[in-house]
Amino acid sequence: MEYIEEYLKYLLIEKKYSNNTILSYGNDLNELNEFYKNKNITKLDKKDILNFIDKNKDKSDKTLSHFITTFRGFYKYLEIENIIKENPILSISQPKTKKTLPKVLSVSDIDNILNIILNDKYDFRNKAMLELMYSTGIRISELINIKTHDINITNCTLKVMGKGSKERIIPIGDIALKYIKIYIENYRKEFIKQNTDYLFLNSRGTLMTRQAFFKIVKKIAKQKNIKTDFSPHTLRHSFATHMLENGADLRTIQELLGHSDLSTTQIYTNVSNKFIEENYEYHPHS
């Protein structure tokens, strides 16, 4: 556990990985450590790693690939620190994962999701969060960590800290801005129980968690009878796809999403084409 903790500190301080990434790496390493609880994790060899992967073969290729990525980084760190002499995972290849297209909602489904009946402070908070996600395409981790000074009402912009501590400025649409202003001016103060800069708060007056917002979104989708498997990230995918369908270029979408590589953004070209094919049947001569 000592080596795992030191490695996770290294990822946080030196590599500046996000808390969620560090948590997922920690979970993988703890699982490996628990599997070999009677054996020092620094003494494992290639056969041990392959045995662990084989015992988890019922899990998805994506999960197995994540295990290997985590272990590769961990044992490379142990090599650099001269804790081990041979890297047990160096020659183990990752399974080929099937590339699945992101789930995307139609504009009408998005409108349905966003059409929340506004009765209380929770409704106005949820409305502001959903509108902001769809307006900017930000990640859920970026959304919940927004602070009040990150919103520039005058310039209609949002400042977010993305992966790798990369800052970007994103324009906010009129509708999202309208409901953010309503939330800030009339309802945020009702959540405050202690001094905090975070914009979106829970009933205890503290930072909204990913899990809590996920439950909120799932509940709204169920109420709206949305059949697509819907999550907060679906709003991000829908934002990118709808931008592309309305003429935005990939470079612009890349900047807005905070992708470091254009190839990551190019998947939305495939999503858009698939969406067009599925809806072409509505043409009278199709």
Side-chain angles (χ1 to χ4, degrees), residues 50-261:
L50 288 174
N51 182 45
F52 173 83
I53 297 296
D54 185 61
K55 293 294 184 182
N56 285 277
K57 63 185 178 183
D58 58 323
K59 295 182 178 177
S60 69
D61 287 343
K62 187 175 180 181
T63 299
L64 298 180
S65 183
H66 195 276
F67 278 142
I68 293 171
T69 297
T70 300
F71 302 157
R72 184 169 288 145
F74 176 64
Y75 284 106
K76 182 65 178 175
Y77 166 79
L78 295 182
E79 261 191 313
I80 293 169
E81 296 294 316
N82 293 316
I83 296 165
I84 62 171
K85 291 184 178 178
E86 291 186 17
N87 189 329
I89 199 168
L90 198 60
S91 60
I92 298 176
S93 58
Q94 290 176 305
K96 291 183 178 179
T97 56
K98 295 177 182 176
K99 288 188 177 180
T100 55
L101 295 179
K103 300 286 189 210
V104 173
L105 294 182
S106 65
V107 174
S108 60
D109 278 342
I110 289 289
D111 288 341
N112 187 17
I113 286 281
L114 298 178
N115 186 24
I116 300 172
I117 297 173
L118 303 172
N119 291 319
D120 56 27
K121 63 181 182 180
Y122 298 104
D123 295 328
F124 279 94
R125 180 202 62 192
N126 298 343
K127 172 73 169 174
M129 293 181 81
L130 288 169
E131 288 285 359
L132 186 59
M133 275 203 86
Y134 180 59
S135 176
T136 59
I138 56 176
R139 303 174 178 93
I140 183 173
S141 56
E142 295 167 343
L143 176 76
I144 62 174
N145 282 293
I146 293 172
K147 295 185 176 178
T148 51
H149 57 258
D150 293 328
I151 297 278
N152 189 318
I153 300 292
T154 305
N155 293 337
C156 308
T157 57
L158 166 68
K159 180 179 72 175
V160 294
M161 191 67 71
K163 289 185 176 180
S165 299
K166 292 180 181 177
E167 184 182 289
R168 66 188 193 278
I169 306 295
I170 311 170
I172 307 173
D174 292 342
I175 297 174
L177 199 64
K178 170 186 172 182
Y179 286 101
I180 289 168
K181 287 173 69 176
I182 293 172
Y183 166 71
I184 291 173
E185 292 171 4
N186 301 302
Y187 297 98
R188 182 177 176 273
K189 58 190 173 187
E190 294 184 22
F191 288 95
I192 297 175
K193 291 182 172 58
Q194 57 191 8
N195 189 33
T196 179
D197 289 334
Y198 286 110
L199 179 60
F200 298 113
L201 306 173
N202 59 27
S203 58
R204 298 183 301 279
T206 56
L207 175 70
M208 169 79 71
T209 64
R210 293 162 57 97
Q211 294 80 2
F213 187 58
F214 188 89
K215 287 180 181 178
I216 290 168
V217 167
K218 281 286 191 183
K219 183 179 178 181
I220 292 172
K222 187 176 180 181
Q223 290 171 345
K224 300 291 186 176
N225 200 29
I226 300 295
K227 302 299 182 184
T228 302
D229 187 19
F230 182 70
S231 72
H233 219 65
T234 311
L235 287 170
R236 178 171 163 86
H237 295 319
S238 300
F239 160 84
T241 304
H242 298 166
M243 285 281 291
L244 190 63
E245 288 172 349
N246 282 282
D249 66 90
L250 277 176
R251 287 286 180 189
T252 300
I253 297 171
Q254 178 191 2
E255 290 295 323
L256 292 172
L257 293 177
H259 287 161
S260 56
D261 195 327

Side-chain angles (χ1 to χ4, degrees), residues 1-57:
M1 287 303 296
E2 175 191 348
Y3 294 115
I4 292 174
E5 288 171 8
E6 288 300 318
Y7 176 59
L8 297 180
K9 285 180 185 176
Y10 163 78
L11 294 182
L12 177 66
I13 298 167
E14 299 293 331
K15 304 292 283 183
K16 300 191 185 307
Y17 282 13
S18 71
N19 290 332
N20 291 323
T21 300
I22 292 169
L23 180 63
S24 70
Y25 280 27
N27 289 339
D28 287 352
L29 291 169
N30 289 333
E31 199 166 330
L32 180 67
N33 194 46
E34 181 63 24
F35 188 78
Y36 287 109
K37 55 187 173 185
N38 297 320
K39 191 172 184 179
N40 190 319
I41 198 171
T42 65
K43 306 295 183 185
L44 301 185
D45 57 23
K46 180 178 178 180
K47 185 178 177 182
D48 292 323
I49 301 295
L50 288 174
N51 182 45
F52 173 83
I53 297 296
D54 185 61
K55 293 294 184 182
N56 285 277
K57 63 185 178 183

